[in-house]
Amino acid sequence: MPTRSDSTTCPPRWSSPRRPDRPTWGPDVAKVARALGKPLMPWQQHVLDVALEVNSDTGRLAYREVRLTVPRQSGKTTLILAKNVHRMLRAAAFGGRQRLLYTAQTRKKAREKFVDDYIEELKTAKALRGRWKDQLGYGSESIRWQNGSI
């Protein structure tokens, strides 16, 4: 179940405000980031706390779409990987098996990011060992999780 979180210690210049009356999956994603050996920076925690707010009436995420613009080398990969791994691990809370897609400028760039960054980060995460396996066939790259999510 999502928890309540206050990540206003480092408020961004422009952002949807955090609604403290709503629970959020943000702290859960922070646990995943720590399991990956990549604790979140305050701005990343704020983004996740807001983006993953839950509408208490429906039990669904409050926002259908989230846009994030930050400079290069700011920590987007860590934020996205932690959020995506959380989604795969908590699939039941989001309606069952999940299918997540990743795109980039070109197919080659997407594969490089997937293999060189995401797979390598997952391999070093002891807490996640045995919960996933990669498939790296050219054109069918994927991470398959124990719960059936891809």
Side-chain angles (χ1 to χ4, degrees):
M1 183 64 178
T3 58
R4 303 218 181 269
S5 174
D6 180 19
S7 58
T8 56
T9 57
C10 182
R13 190 172 294 167
W14 297 283
S15 169
S16 297
R18 171 78 176 98
R19 295 264 312 262
D21 57 309
R22 290 180 175 162
T24 179
W25 287 107
D28 247 28
V29 176
K31 291 176 188 172
V32 171
R34 284 192 300 277
L36 290 166
K38 304 279 186 178
L40 298 175
M41 292 181 272
W43 79 263
Q44 293 168 315
Q45 187 66 62
H46 176 77
V47 167
L48 291 166
D49 286 347
V50 174
L52 301 176
E53 287 179 1
V54 175
N55 180 322
S56 298
D57 294 335
T58 65
R60 301 181 74 158
L61 292 174
Y63 301 102
R64 287 182 56 109
E65 185 175 319
V66 175
R67 294 181 187 199
L68 170 66
T69 304
V70 293
R72 292 176 44 82
Q73 303 297 312
S74 294
K76 292 182 300 289
T77 297
T78 296
L79 183 145
I80 292 168
L81 179 61
K83 185 210 58 84
N84 290 350
V85 169
H86 173 264
R87 183 78 179 230
M88 298 295 104
L89 293 173
R90 293 287 204 160
F94 297 100
R97 284 181 355 154
Q98 300 291 296
R99 180 175 290 266
L100 198 142
L101 303 174
Y102 177 82
T103 63
Q105 301 88 329
T106 66
R107 189 194 176 305
K108 182 180 181 224
K109 290 285 185 193
R111 180 183 168 82
E112 286 173 7
K113 184 66 135 175
F114 180 76
V115 174
D116 297 343
D117 291 346
Y118 295 157
I119 296 292
E120 289 306 312
E121 291 293 339
L122 285 170
K123 283 181 180 177
T124 64
K126 293 178 185 175
L128 299 174
R129 285 195 184 138
R131 301 181 77 175
W132 63 277
K133 60 182 185 177
D134 57 45
Q135 179 176 328
L136 298 178
Y138 198 76
S140 60
E141 298 89 343
S142 66
I143 298 170
R144 296 182 178 268
W145 296 86
Q146 282 180 331
N147 62 11
S149 293
I150 299 172

mmCIF file with all atom_site columns, all heavy atoms in Angstrom, residues 117-138:
data_model
loop_
_atom_site.group_PDB
_atom_site.id
_atom_site.type_symbol
_atom_site.label_atom_id
_atom_site.label_alt_id
_atom_site.label_comp_id
_atom_site.label_asym_id
_atom_site.label_entity_id
_atom_site.label_seq_id
_atom_site.pdbx_PDB_ins_code
_atom_site.Cartn_x
_atom_site.Cartn_y
_atom_site.Cartn_z
_atom_site.occupancy
_atom_site.B_iso_or_equiv
_atom_site.pdbx_formal_charge
_atom_site.auth_seq_id
_atom_site.auth_comp_id
_atom_site.auth_asym_id
_atom_site.auth_atom_id
_atom_site.pdbx_PDB_model_num
ATOM 1   N N   . ASP A 1 117 ? 23.167 -0.069  -19.240 1.00 0.00 ? 117 ASP A N   1
ATOM 2   C CA  . ASP A 1 117 ? 22.788 0.597   -17.998 1.00 0.00 ? 117 ASP A CA  1
ATOM 3   C C   . ASP A 1 117 ? 21.826 -0.254  -17.167 1.00 0.00 ? 117 ASP A C   1
ATOM 4   O O   . ASP A 1 117 ? 22.138 -0.630  -16.047 1.00 0.00 ? 117 ASP A O   1
ATOM 5   C CB  . ASP A 1 117 ? 22.154 1.965   -18.277 1.00 0.00 ? 117 ASP A CB  1
ATOM 6   C CG  . ASP A 1 117 ? 23.169 2.963   -18.825 1.00 0.00 ? 117 ASP A CG  1
ATOM 7   O OD1 . ASP A 1 117 ? 24.377 2.714   -18.748 1.00 0.00 ? 117 ASP A OD1 1
ATOM 8   O OD2 . ASP A 1 117 ? 22.738 4.010   -19.334 1.00 0.00 ? 117 ASP A OD2 1
ATOM 9   N N   . TYR A 1 118 ? 20.656 -0.543  -17.701 1.00 0.00 ? 118 TYR A N   1
ATOM 10  C CA  . TYR A 1 118 ? 19.625 -1.199  -16.901 1.00 0.00 ? 118 TYR A CA  1
ATOM 11  C C   . TYR A 1 118 ? 20.008 -2.618  -16.488 1.00 0.00 ? 118 TYR A C   1
ATOM 12  O O   . TYR A 1 118 ? 19.935 -2.960  -15.304 1.00 0.00 ? 118 TYR A O   1
ATOM 13  C CB  . TYR A 1 118 ? 18.287 -1.198  -17.629 1.00 0.00 ? 118 TYR A CB  1
ATOM 14  C CG  . TYR A 1 118 ? 17.716 0.186   -17.844 1.00 0.00 ? 118 TYR A CG  1
ATOM 15  C CD1 . TYR A 1 118 ? 16.810 0.440   -18.846 1.00 0.00 ? 118 TYR A CD1 1
ATOM 16  C CD2 . TYR A 1 118 ? 18.087 1.252   -17.043 1.00 0.00 ? 118 TYR A CD2 1
ATOM 17  C CE1 . TYR A 1 118 ? 16.280 1.713   -19.042 1.00 0.00 ? 118 TYR A CE1 1
ATOM 18  C CE2 . TYR A 1 118 ? 17.571 2.522   -17.233 1.00 0.00 ? 118 TYR A CE2 1
ATOM 19  C CZ  . TYR A 1 118 ? 16.662 2.741   -18.231 1.00 0.00 ? 118 TYR A CZ  1
ATOM 20  O OH  . TYR A 1 118 ? 16.150 3.990   -18.419 1.00 0.00 ? 118 TYR A OH  1
ATOM 21  N N   . ILE A 1 119 ? 20.422 -3.426  -17.439 1.00 0.00 ? 119 ILE A N   1
ATOM 22  C CA  . ILE A 1 119 ? 20.781 -4.806  -17.096 1.00 0.00 ? 119 ILE A CA  1
ATOM 23  C C   . ILE A 1 119 ? 21.969 -4.825  -16.135 1.00 0.00 ? 119 ILE A C   1
ATOM 24  O O   . ILE A 1 119 ? 21.973 -5.575  -15.156 1.00 0.00 ? 119 ILE A O   1
ATOM 25  C CB  . ILE A 1 119 ? 21.088 -5.635  -18.364 1.00 0.00 ? 119 ILE A CB  1
ATOM 26  C CG1 . ILE A 1 119 ? 19.845 -5.765  -19.250 1.00 0.00 ? 119 ILE A CG1 1
ATOM 27  C CG2 . ILE A 1 119 ? 21.655 -7.005  -18.009 1.00 0.00 ? 119 ILE A CG2 1
ATOM 28  C CD1 . ILE A 1 119 ? 18.728 -6.598  -18.679 1.00 0.00 ? 119 ILE A CD1 1
ATOM 29  N N   . GLU A 1 120 ? 22.971 -4.014  -16.398 1.00 0.00 ? 120 GLU A N   1
ATOM 30  C CA  . GLU A 1 120 ? 24.153 -3.994  -15.531 1.00 0.00 ? 120 GLU A CA  1
ATOM 31  C C   . GLU A 1 120 ? 23.803 -3.541  -14.117 1.00 0.00 ? 120 GLU A C   1
ATOM 32  O O   . GLU A 1 120 ? 24.325 -4.095  -13.147 1.00 0.00 ? 120 GLU A O   1
ATOM 33  C CB  . GLU A 1 120 ? 25.254 -3.115  -16.133 1.00 0.00 ? 120 GLU A CB  1
ATOM 34  C CG  . GLU A 1 120 ? 25.901 -3.727  -17.363 1.00 0.00 ? 120 GLU A CG  1
ATOM 35  C CD  . GLU A 1 120 ? 26.428 -5.143  -17.146 1.00 0.00 ? 120 GLU A CD  1
ATOM 36  O OE1 . GLU A 1 120 ? 27.127 -5.386  -16.128 1.00 0.00 ? 120 GLU A OE1 1
ATOM 37  O OE2 . GLU A 1 120 ? 26.124 -6.011  -17.974 1.00 0.00 ? 120 GLU A OE2 1
ATOM 38  N N   . GLU A 1 121 ? 22.929 -2.563  -13.978 1.00 0.00 ? 121 GLU A N   1
ATOM 39  C CA  . GLU A 1 121 ? 22.500 -2.124  -12.640 1.00 0.00 ? 121 GLU A CA  1
ATOM 40  C C   . GLU A 1 121 ? 21.758 -3.246  -11.915 1.00 0.00 ? 121 GLU A C   1
ATOM 41  O O   . GLU A 1 121 ? 21.963 -3.475  -10.726 1.00 0.00 ? 121 GLU A O   1
ATOM 42  C CB  . GLU A 1 121 ? 21.610 -0.884  -12.726 1.00 0.00 ? 121 GLU A CB  1
ATOM 43  C CG  . GLU A 1 121 ? 22.324 0.367   -13.170 1.00 0.00 ? 121 GLU A CG  1
ATOM 44  C CD  . GLU A 1 121 ? 23.348 0.887   -12.171 1.00 0.00 ? 121 GLU A CD  1
ATOM 45  O OE1 . GLU A 1 121 ? 23.268 0.556   -10.970 1.00 0.00 ? 121 GLU A OE1 1
ATOM 46  O OE2 . GLU A 1 121 ? 24.232 1.640   -12.597 1.00 0.00 ? 121 GLU A OE2 1
ATOM 47  N N   . LEU A 1 122 ? 20.886 -3.943  -12.620 1.00 0.00 ? 122 LEU A N   1
ATOM 48  C CA  . LEU A 1 122 ? 20.139 -5.033  -12.000 1.00 0.00 ? 122 LEU A CA  1
ATOM 49  C C   . LEU A 1 122 ? 21.066 -6.170  -11.560 1.00 0.00 ? 122 LEU A C   1
ATOM 50  O O   . LEU A 1 122 ? 20.855 -6.781  -10.518 1.00 0.00 ? 122 LEU A O   1
ATOM 51  C CB  . LEU A 1 122 ? 19.067 -5.569  -12.947 1.00 0.00 ? 122 LEU A CB  1
ATOM 52  C CG  . LEU A 1 122 ? 17.837 -4.690  -13.103 1.00 0.00 ? 122 LEU A CG  1
ATOM 53  C CD1 . LEU A 1 122 ? 16.962 -5.199  -14.237 1.00 0.00 ? 122 LEU A CD1 1
ATOM 54  C CD2 . LEU A 1 122 ? 17.049 -4.624  -11.814 1.00 0.00 ? 122 LEU A CD2 1
ATOM 55  N N   . LYS A 1 123 ? 22.086 -6.450  -12.340 1.00 0.00 ? 123 LYS A N   1
ATOM 56  C CA  . LYS A 1 123 ? 23.021 -7.530  -11.999 1.00 0.00 ? 123 LYS A CA  1
ATOM 57  C C   . LYS A 1 123 ? 23.741 -7.266  -10.683 1.00 0.00 ? 123 LYS A C   1
ATOM 58  O O   . LYS A 1 123 ? 24.103 -8.212  -9.983  1.00 0.00 ? 123 LYS A O   1
ATOM 59  C CB  . LYS A 1 123 ? 24.051 -7.707  -13.115 1.00 0.00 ? 123 LYS A CB  1
ATOM 60  C CG  . LYS A 1 123 ? 23.518 -8.426  -14.321 1.00 0.00 ? 123 LYS A CG  1
ATOM 61  C CD  . LYS A 1 123 ? 24.619 -8.573  -15.370 1.00 0.00 ? 123 LYS A CD  1
ATOM 62  C CE  . LYS A 1 123 ? 24.116 -9.299  -16.591 1.00 0.00 ? 123 LYS A CE  1
ATOM 63  N NZ  . LYS A 1 123 ? 25.154 -9.391  -17.647 1.00 0.00 ? 123 LYS A NZ  1
ATOM 64  N N   . THR A 1 124 ? 23.947 -6.002  -10.342 1.00 0.00 ? 124 THR A N   1
ATOM 65  C CA  . THR A 1 124 ? 24.677 -5.685  -9.107  1.00 0.00 ? 124 THR A CA  1
ATOM 66  C C   . THR A 1 124 ? 23.770 -5.612  -7.882  1.00 0.00 ? 124 THR A C   1
ATOM 67  O O   . THR A 1 124 ? 24.265 -5.510  -6.768  1.00 0.00 ? 124 THR A O   1
ATOM 68  C CB  . THR A 1 124 ? 25.447 -4.354  -9.247  1.00 0.00 ? 124 THR A CB  1
ATOM 69  O OG1 . THR A 1 124 ? 24.506 -3.292  -9.419  1.00 0.00 ? 124 THR A OG1 1
ATOM 70  C CG2 . THR A 1 124 ? 26.405 -4.391  -10.424 1.00 0.00 ? 124 THR A CG2 1
ATOM 71  N N   . ALA A 1 125 ? 22.464 -5.663  -8.085  1.00 0.00 ? 125 ALA A N   1
ATOM 72  C CA  . ALA A 1 125 ? 21.515 -5.525  -6.971  1.00 0.00 ? 125 ALA A CA  1
ATOM 73  C C   . ALA A 1 125 ? 21.273 -6.880  -6.308  1.00 0.00 ? 125 ALA A C   1
ATOM 74  O O   . ALA A 1 125 ? 20.451 -7.676  -6.768  1.00 0.00 ? 125 ALA A O   1
ATOM 75  C CB  . ALA A 1 125 ? 20.208 -4.925  -7.468  1.00 0.00 ? 125 ALA A CB  1
ATOM 76  N N   . LYS A 1 126 ? 21.968 -7.141  -5.210  1.00 0.00 ? 126 LYS A N   1
ATOM 77  C CA  . LYS A 1 126 ? 21.841 -8.427  -4.511  1.00 0.00 ? 126 LYS A CA  1
ATOM 78  C C   . LYS A 1 126 ? 20.406 -8.719  -4.098  1.00 0.00 ? 126 LYS A C   1
ATOM 79  O O   . LYS A 1 126 ? 19.945 -9.850  -4.166  1.00 0.00 ? 126 LYS A O   1
ATOM 80  C CB  . LYS A 1 126 ? 22.744 -8.453  -3.279  1.00 0.00 ? 126 LYS A CB  1
ATOM 81  C CG  . LYS A 1 126 ? 24.213 -8.443  -3.598  1.00 0.00 ? 126 LYS A CG  1
ATOM 82  C CD  . LYS A 1 126 ? 25.052 -8.408  -2.331  1.00 0.00 ? 126 LYS A CD  1
ATOM 83  C CE  . LYS A 1 126 ? 26.516 -8.276  -2.696  1.00 0.00 ? 126 LYS A CE  1
ATOM 84  N NZ  . LYS A 1 126 ? 27.350 -8.112  -1.501  1.00 0.00 ? 126 LYS A NZ  1
ATOM 85  N N   . ALA A 1 127 ? 19.676 -7.700  -3.663  1.00 0.00 ? 127 ALA A N   1
ATOM 86  C CA  . ALA A 1 127 ? 18.296 -7.884  -3.183  1.00 0.00 ? 127 ALA A CA  1
ATOM 87  C C   . ALA A 1 127 ? 17.356 -8.359  -4.291  1.00 0.00 ? 127 ALA A C   1
ATOM 88  O O   . ALA A 1 127 ? 16.273 -8.875  -4.003  1.00 0.00 ? 127 ALA A O   1
ATOM 89  C CB  . ALA A 1 127 ? 17.769 -6.591  -2.579  1.00 0.00 ? 127 ALA A CB  1
ATOM 90  N N   . LEU A 1 128 ? 17.745 -8.201  -5.550  1.00 0.00 ? 128 LEU A N   1
ATOM 91  C CA  . LEU A 1 128 ? 16.872 -8.580  -6.664  1.00 0.00 ? 128 LEU A CA  1
ATOM 92  C C   . LEU A 1 128 ? 17.314 -9.862  -7.365  1.00 0.00 ? 128 LEU A C   1
ATOM 93  O O   . LEU A 1 128 ? 16.651 -10.311 -8.299  1.00 0.00 ? 128 LEU A O   1
ATOM 94  C CB  . LEU A 1 128 ? 16.794 -7.436  -7.679  1.00 0.00 ? 128 LEU A CB  1
ATOM 95  C CG  . LEU A 1 128 ? 16.224 -6.134  -7.146  1.00 0.00 ? 128 LEU A CG  1
ATOM 96  C CD1 . LEU A 1 128 ? 16.329 -5.038  -8.196  1.00 0.00 ? 128 LEU A CD1 1
ATOM 97  C CD2 . LEU A 1 128 ? 14.783 -6.317  -6.707  1.00 0.00 ? 128 LEU A CD2 1
ATOM 98  N N   . ARG A 1 129 ? 18.409 -10.448 -6.911  1.00 0.00 ? 129 ARG A N   1
ATOM 99  C CA  . ARG A 1 129 ? 18.917 -11.659 -7.560  1.00 0.00 ? 129 ARG A CA  1
ATOM 100 C C   . ARG A 1 129 ? 17.871 -12.764 -7.542  1.00 0.00 ? 129 ARG A C   1
ATOM 101 O O   . ARG A 1 129 ? 17.191 -12.987 -6.547  1.00 0.00 ? 129 ARG A O   1
ATOM 102 C CB  . ARG A 1 129 ? 20.186 -12.144 -6.876  1.00 0.00 ? 129 ARG A CB  1
ATOM 103 C CG  . ARG A 1 129 ? 21.355 -11.286 -7.248  1.00 0.00 ? 129 ARG A CG  1
ATOM 104 C CD  . ARG A 1 129 ? 22.676 -11.923 -6.907  1.00 0.00 ? 129 ARG A CD  1
ATOM 105 N NE  . ARG A 1 129 ? 23.728 -10.959 -7.230  1.00 0.00 ? 129 ARG A NE  1
ATOM 106 C CZ  . ARG A 1 129 ? 24.769 -10.729 -6.468  1.00 0.00 ? 129 ARG A CZ  1
ATOM 107 N NH1 . ARG A 1 129 ? 24.930 -11.384 -5.349  1.00 0.00 ? 129 ARG A NH1 1
ATOM 108 N NH2 . ARG A 1 129 ? 25.658 -9.836  -6.827  1.00 0.00 ? 129 ARG A NH2 1
ATOM 109 N N   . GLY A 1 130 ? 17.749 -13.432 -8.678  1.00 0.00 ? 130 GLY A N   1
ATOM 110 C CA  . GLY A 1 130 ? 16.816 -14.544 -8.788  1.00 0.00 ? 130 GLY A CA  1
ATOM 111 C C   . GLY A 1 130 ? 15.376 -14.128 -9.054  1.00 0.00 ? 130 GLY A C   1
ATOM 112 O O   . GLY A 1 130 ? 14.511 -14.971 -9.224  1.00 0.00 ? 130 GLY A O   1
ATOM 113 N N   . ARG A 1 131 ? 15.097 -12.841 -9.119  1.00 0.00 ? 131 ARG A N   1
ATOM 114 C CA  . ARG A 1 131 ? 13.727 -12.368 -9.329  1.00 0.00 ? 131 ARG A CA  1
ATOM 115 C C   . ARG A 1 131 ? 13.457 -11.990 -10.772 1.00 0.00 ? 131 ARG A C   1
ATOM 116 O O   . ARG A 1 131 ? 12.340 -11.685 -11.141 1.00 0.00 ? 131 ARG A O   1
ATOM 117 C CB  . ARG A 1 131 ? 13.423 -11.188 -8.408  1.00 0.00 ? 131 ARG A CB  1
ATOM 118 C CG  . ARG A 1 131 ? 13.587 -11.584 -6.936  1.00 0.00 ? 131 ARG A CG  1
ATOM 119 C CD  . ARG A 1 131 ? 13.268 -10.476 -6.014  1.00 0.00 ? 131 ARG A CD  1
ATOM 120 N NE  . ARG A 1 131 ? 11.818 -10.343 -5.938  1.00 0.00 ? 131 ARG A NE  1
ATOM 121 C CZ  . ARG A 1 131 ? 11.208 -9.508  -5.128  1.00 0.00 ? 131 ARG A CZ  1
ATOM 122 N NH1 . ARG A 1 131 ? 11.903 -8.738  -4.332  1.00 0.00 ? 131 ARG A NH1 1
ATOM 123 N NH2 . ARG A 1 131 ? 9.900  -9.424  -5.111  1.00 0.00 ? 131 ARG A NH2 1
ATOM 124 N N   . TRP A 1 132 ? 14.498 -12.005 -11.593 1.00 0.00 ? 132 TRP A N   1
ATOM 125 C CA  . TRP A 1 132 ? 14.365 -11.606 -12.991 1.00 0.00 ? 132 TRP A CA  1
ATOM 126 C C   . TRP A 1 132 ? 15.415 -12.339 -13.815 1.00 0.00 ? 132 TRP A C   1
ATOM 127 O O   . TRP A 1 132 ? 16.380 -12.861 -13.299 1.00 0.00 ? 132 TRP A O   1
ATOM 128 C CB  . TRP A 1 132 ? 14.574 -10.102 -13.125 1.00 0.00 ? 132 TRP A CB  1
ATOM 129 C CG  . TRP A 1 132 ? 15.958 -9.667  -12.717 1.00 0.00 ? 132 TRP A CG  1
ATOM 130 C CD1 . TRP A 1 132 ? 16.406 -9.410  -11.447 1.00 0.00 ? 132 TRP A CD1 1
ATOM 131 C CD2 . TRP A 1 132 ? 17.090 -9.491  -13.564 1.00 0.00 ? 132 TRP A CD2 1
ATOM 132 N NE1 . TRP A 1 132 ? 17.727 -9.070  -11.458 1.00 0.00 ? 132 TRP A NE1 1
ATOM 133 C CE2 . TRP A 1 132 ? 18.179 -9.114  -12.751 1.00 0.00 ? 132 TRP A CE2 1
ATOM 134 C CE3 . TRP A 1 132 ? 17.296 -9.618  -14.936 1.00 0.00 ? 132 TRP A CE3 1
ATOM 135 C CZ2 . TRP A 1 132 ? 19.446 -8.859  -13.261 1.00 0.00 ? 132 TRP A CZ2 1
ATOM 136 C CZ3 . TRP A 1 132 ? 18.556 -9.356  -15.452 1.00 0.00 ? 132 TRP A CZ3 1
ATOM 137 C CH2 . TRP A 1 132 ? 19.605 -8.981  -14.610 1.00 0.00 ? 132 TRP A CH2 1
ATOM 138 N N   . LYS A 1 133 ? 15.182 -12.382 -15.114 1.00 0.00 ? 133 LYS A N   1
ATOM 139 C CA  . LYS A 1 133 ? 16.234 -12.826 -16.024 1.00 0.00 ? 133 LYS A CA  1
ATOM 140 C C   . LYS A 1 133 ? 16.101 -12.052 -17.323 1.00 0.00 ? 133 LYS A C   1
ATOM 141 O O   . LYS A 1 133 ? 15.014 -11.632 -17.709 1.00 0.00 ? 133 LYS A O   1
ATOM 142 C CB  . LYS A 1 133 ? 16.222 -14.332 -16.237 1.00 0.00 ? 133 LYS A CB  1
ATOM 143 C CG  . LYS A 1 133 ? 15.017 -14.934 -16.804 1.00 0.00 ? 133 LYS A CG  1
ATOM 144 C CD  . LYS A 1 133 ? 15.184 -16.451 -16.897 1.00 0.00 ? 133 LYS A CD  1
ATOM 145 C CE  . LYS A 1 133 ? 13.960 -16.981 -17.605 1.00 0.00 ? 133 LYS A CE  1
ATOM 146 N NZ  . LYS A 1 133 ? 13.955 -18.359 -17.860 1.00 0.00 ? 133 LYS A NZ  1
ATOM 147 N N   . ASP A 1 134 ? 17.254 -11.854 -17.935 1.00 0.00 ? 134 ASP A N   1
ATOM 148 C CA  . ASP A 1 134 ? 17.248 -11.061 -19.161 1.00 0.00 ? 134 ASP A CA  1
ATOM 149 C C   . ASP A 1 134 ? 17.152 -11.961 -20.383 1.00 0.00 ? 134 ASP A C   1
ATOM 150 O O   . ASP A 1 134 ? 17.514 -13.127 -20.343 1.00 0.00 ? 134 ASP A O   1
ATOM 151 C CB  . ASP A 1 134 ? 18.474 -10.154 -19.252 1.00 0.00 ? 134 ASP A CB  1
ATOM 152 C CG  . ASP A 1 134 ? 19.782 -10.924 -19.169 1.00 0.00 ? 134 ASP A CG  1
ATOM 153 O OD1 . ASP A 1 134 ? 19.923 -11.974 -19.826 1.00 0.00 ? 134 ASP A OD1 1
ATOM 154 O OD2 . ASP A 1 134 ? 20.692 -10.470 -18.446 1.00 0.00 ? 134 ASP A OD2 1
ATOM 155 N N   . GLN A 1 135 ? 16.633 -11.384 -21.427 1.00 0.00 ? 135 GLN A N   1
ATOM 156 C CA  . GLN A 1 135 ? 16.604 -12.007 -22.740 1.00 0.00 ? 135 GLN A CA  1
ATOM 157 C C   . GLN A 1 135 ? 17.210 -10.962 -23.663 1.00 0.00 ? 135 GLN A C   1
ATOM 158 O O   . GLN A 1 135 ? 16.672 -9.861  -23.789 1.00 0.00 ? 135 GLN A O   1
ATOM 159 C CB  . GLN A 1 135 ? 15.175 -12.330 -23.162 1.00 0.00 ? 135 GLN A CB  1
ATOM 160 C CG  . GLN A 1 135 ? 15.081 -12.968 -24.527 1.00 0.00 ? 135 GLN A CG  1
ATOM 161 C CD  . GLN A 1 135 ? 13.647 -13.359 -24.860 1.00 0.00 ? 135 GLN A CD  1
ATOM 162 O OE1 . GLN A 1 135 ? 12.866 -13.703 -23.979 1.00 0.00 ? 135 GLN A OE1 1
ATOM 163 N NE2 . GLN A 1 135 ? 13.321 -13.296 -26.130 1.00 0.00 ? 135 GLN A NE2 1
ATOM 164 N N   . LEU A 1 136 ? 18.340 -11.287 -24.291 1.00 0.00 ? 136 LEU A N   1
ATOM 165 C CA  . LEU A 1 136 ? 19.069 -10.275 -25.035 1.00 0.00 ? 136 LEU A CA  1
ATOM 166 C C   . LEU A 1 136 ? 19.152 -10.548 -26.533 1.00 0.00 ? 136 LEU A C   1
ATOM 167 O O   . LEU A 1 136 ? 19.997 -9.977  -27.218 1.00 0.00 ? 136 LEU A O   1
ATOM 168 C CB  . LEU A 1 136 ? 20.480 -10.113 -24.456 1.00 0.00 ? 136 LEU A CB  1
ATOM 169 C CG  . LEU A 1 136 ? 20.516 -9.644  -23.001 1.00 0.00 ? 136 LEU A CG  1
ATOM 170 C CD1 . LEU A 1 136 ? 21.935 -9.563  -22.487 1.00 0.00 ? 136 LEU A CD1 1
ATOM 171 C CD2 . LEU A 1 136 ? 19.807 -8.318  -22.849 1.00 0.00 ? 136 LEU A CD2 1
ATOM 172 N N   . GLY A 1 137 ? 18.281 -11.397 -27.060 1.00 0.00 ? 137 GLY A N   1
ATOM 173 C CA  . GLY A 1 137 ? 18.256 -11.623 -28.498 1.00 0.00 ? 137 GLY A CA  1
ATOM 174 C C   . GLY A 1 137 ? 17.984 -10.325 -29.228 1.00 0.00 ? 137 GLY A C   1
ATOM 175 O O   . GLY A 1 137 ? 17.096 -9.561  -28.839 1.00 0.00 ? 137 GLY A O   1
ATOM 176 N N   . TYR A 1 138 ? 18.744 -10.068 -30.278 1.00 0.00 ? 138 TYR A N   1
ATOM 177 C CA  . TYR A 1 138 ? 18.612 -8.813  -31.005 1.00 0.00 ? 138 TYR A CA  1
ATOM 178 C C   . TYR A 1 138 ? 17.194 -8.681  -31.557 1.00 0.00 ? 138 TYR A C   1
ATOM 179 O O   . TYR A 1 138 ? 16.739 -9.500  -32.332 1.00 0.00 ? 138 TYR A O   1
ATOM 180 C CB  . TYR A 1 138 ? 19.640 -8.745  -32.137 1.00 0.00 ? 138 TYR A CB  1
ATOM 181 C CG  . TYR A 1 138 ? 19.868 -7.354  -32.641 1.00 0.00 ? 138 TYR A CG  1
ATOM 182 C CD1 . TYR A 1 138 ? 20.633 -6.464  -31.909 1.00 0.00 ? 138 TYR A CD1 1
ATOM 183 C CD2 . TYR A 1 138 ? 19.301 -6.917  -33.820 1.00 0.00 ? 138 TYR A CD2 1
ATOM 184 C CE1 . TYR A 1 138 ? 20.848 -5.169  -32.347 1.00 0.00 ? 138 TYR A CE1 1
ATOM 185 C CE2 . TYR A 1 138 ? 19.510 -5.623  -34.280 1.00 0.00 ? 138 TYR A CE2 1
ATOM 186 C CZ  . TYR A 1 138 ? 20.280 -4.764  -33.537 1.00 0.00 ? 138 TYR A CZ  1
ATOM 187 O OH  . TYR A 1 138 ? 20.476 -3.483  -33.976 1.00 0.00 ? 138 TYR A OH  1
#
